[in-house]
Amino acid sequence: MALIASTFIPYAQQKRNKMRKFTAILLIAMTAGFSAAARKGSVAVVVDGASAPSVEASAQKYASAIRKYDGKKVFVIVTPQGCRPELIRDTLKYLWKKQKLEGAVLVGDIPVPMIRRAHHLATAFKMNPKMPIKRSSIPSDRFYDDFDLIFSPLQQDGRLFYYDLQPEGAQRVQCEIYTARIKPSQSDPEHSFDELICEFLERAAAAKSKREKLDKVFHFGGHGNSSESFNARIDEERAFYEQFALAEPEGQVRFLNFDEDRFTRTRLLAALADPGLDFAHLHTHGAVGAQYISKEPYTYMTGEHLENAKAAFRSKMRRAKDKDAAAREILSAWDVPPSWLSGWDDPEVSARDSVRAASVDIILEDLDGYTPAAKVVLLDACFNGAFLHPDYIAARYAFSHGSRTMAVTANSVNIIQDHWKNELAGLLTTGMCIGNWVRNYSTLESHLFGDPTYCFEPSAGKTPDLEALKIHDGRYSPEKCLGILKSNPSMNVRLEAFYHIIREARDFRLVNAAVLAGLDDSYEMIRRMAARYAETDGDPSLLPSIASHYLNPLESARVRYHLFGALALYGTDEAEKALRDAWNGIWPVKDEMDELCSRVRRIIESSDSDIAAICLPGANEKERSQTVSSQRNYCRPSAIDPMLKLVADESSTSALRVQAAEALGWYTLSFRRQYIYDTLKGIAAADIAVADEITRSLRRLEDNAHTR
């Protein structure tokens, strides 16, 4: 064993006492012969003290394998009883500064940081902070691997430690190291928590001696994902071939959609159990204990559609407290005969319905005794990686007895659908370890489970992600990236260039140019991302292009979904004029254009009515609050001035003013972001809570919108 740390020794006791906080604590038990390993960096294996006696031997094997086969220095650190997350974070930060730490493996029941006031760092989570603290916080190991983020402690609940993100630190995620958890399910009746840890550590150690090539890729499309667009799926398959530099017959990409069988679950599980499968990307909806594969048994037969409806009504009857009232509501709302409800209280019918419903999705019980084999699994779903719970979907794939899976990425809360989950994944074909790949695209809620040091054998093919990495690392200016977006033959490189402009461009004209170029791109995902960002941009110069692309009869469903949202950013007359100008006979039925314009007008007028009430004296406080809060999603330009007025209005309630100040911090991709920043900066709020929220929004705009 290269290095073992079984206790902690303070290295800065005086500083800790003065600052009244934990500082880095470390035992360094050095042995000779690390000069070569030090140049390659080091890895920390942080073991929960409660599990340490049982897993020590396996941890030693794992650490020895990393040293032998990866040539890296290894620190094995055992946490003391009652260890707080600050202790671990400061130790890792110290090792990063002094020992070239590249990553950490968190083994066992390591304390869980629960992050608050940081929704802007997540892709979709925007729960009201007044909700119960456990539900409205984000479990996140960015506490351990992003040292530019600053947190202040709030409270503790067992192994859950709550923190507020502070405005003094960074307002975007850029991890200095990678982290991964080895935290199996605690619900296996035949294998203990520690036994499963040992099994995984020894499997990870054994995998070091024989690396495999990444040449077999699989992706699954669940119901409702990407609007079930086949255009999106077709282009995704092309992008995977390019990204992993695969060519038939040596390399292959295979795709399974939820509607290829009435019940696709069995086929999906069988595909993931293939020992030859290297990389699996699963697009589904999800929960802590479920992968939602298909909303109901898929069918194109009328009789089976009717049976789906009857089963749904019977289920609604069983859930209802007042059965008579539920029956009246169903019969009236759906205009169906009473016979459609028959059998809801029949035990045999209930049993059949239960089996039928259970056959649609994958739940924890389905994974009892299941042995997945895909080396790397991306669970592109909400809550599958909620590691604060004793059992969760990601744990079943990574750590089940007999599993061959080495690493799983999953999310601790809900996520946005249209997000580039496999960004830079082609780097895995170069021999890059899983942890260093994941570190490049982490968000507050995204997490890695398993062995972050696992890597594939480098392949002969040259992935375009090597060029994309140069863009991601900031070697090219946003101006150069615009040229790459318009001309590079690689769809993955163009998408990376698009993202870099969106993330880094200070000149908003470049953002607009990227959106316009993206809408014209041949790759559906680039068009989809451009349409998504057009939804928050709001610049009038984009409107003609938004309208013409929305009316394109060959455009994919998901792109049109975002473009419709973008149309609703503008005034009713402007949006209708743009649509009619773009129409120009493309759609032969004029009545359809009239209906579209009418629908857009209704949505805009309804929204504008709500926005007008934000500053209306005597308006309903709850409705005003809901309208303000919703701008974190919609970022409507027409809401900017009313919300700025509300923030400055000393006669309004503190809570509402705080909400408005926070919502304005979400306009990082609005063409008026500099105006928002300058106006907020000029508001001198006497209310402490309002002043604090203004400061937070200014920092978000500075860090994410590059305002000054």
Side-chain angles (χ1 to χ4, degrees), residues 611-630:
I611 289 171
I614 289 176
C615 295
L616 194 64
N620 183 283
E621 184 83 3
K622 183 178 180 180
E623 292 177 359
R624 295 169 74 194
S625 173
Q626 290 174 341
T627 301
V628 168
S629 182
S630 69

Side-chain angles (χ1 to χ4, degrees), residues 576-594:
E576 181 170 349
K577 182 178 185 302
L579 284 169
R580 294 193 182 279
D581 288 347
W583 174 52
N584 195 28
I586 293 176
W587 284 23
V589 182
K590 183 177 182 300
D591 289 348
E592 292 182 5
M593 173 54 62
D594 292 341

Side-chain angles (χ1 to χ4, degrees), residues 593-637:
M593 173 54 62
D594 292 341
E595 172 54 30
L596 172 62
C597 289
S598 177
R599 185 156 55 100
V600 171
R601 180 175 288 274
R602 287 196 301 270
I603 290 173
I604 295 174
E605 288 176 348
S606 175
S607 179
D608 285 346
S609 175
D610 293 337
I611 289 171
I614 289 176
C615 295
L616 194 64
N620 183 283
E621 184 83 3
K622 183 178 180 180
E623 292 177 359
R624 295 169 74 194
S625 173
Q626 290 174 341
T627 301
V628 168
S629 182
S630 69
Q631 300 315 311
R632 297 185 299 172
N633 277 328
Y634 298 123
C635 294
R636 285 183 59 78

Side-chain angles (χ1 to χ4, degrees), residues 383-403:
F383 295 104
N384 280 178
F387 57 89
L388 74 164
H389 299 285
D391 199 4
Y392 54 104
I393 289 289
R396 295 301 191 98
Y397 280 98
F399 311 120
S400 290
H401 174 65
S403 171

Side-chain angles (χ1 to χ4, degrees), residues 50-119:
S51 294
S54 300
V55 308
E56 180 181 4
S58 299
Q60 289 182 7
K61 285 184 181 180
Y62 175 62
S64 295
I66 295 174
R67 178 174 179 254
K68 179 179 180 179
Y69 295 104
D70 297 341
K72 297 172 183 175
K73 186 186 299 184
V74 182
F75 298 86
V76 177
I77 304 170
V78 179
T79 65
Q81 186 175 3
C83 177
R84 291 184 59 85
E86 292 95 327
L87 198 64
I88 299 171
R89 174 187 167 99
D90 288 343
T91 300
L92 297 177
K93 187 175 182 179
Y94 174 84
L95 290 172
W96 171 67
K97 287 182 176 180
K98 302 295 184 180
Q99 298 292 332
K100 297 182 180 179
L101 185 73
E102 70 170 49
V105 189
L106 309 177
V107 182
D109 198 10
I110 297 297
V112 177
M114 303 286 286
I115 310 304
R116 301 180 64 75
R117 305 193 77 172
H119 292 178

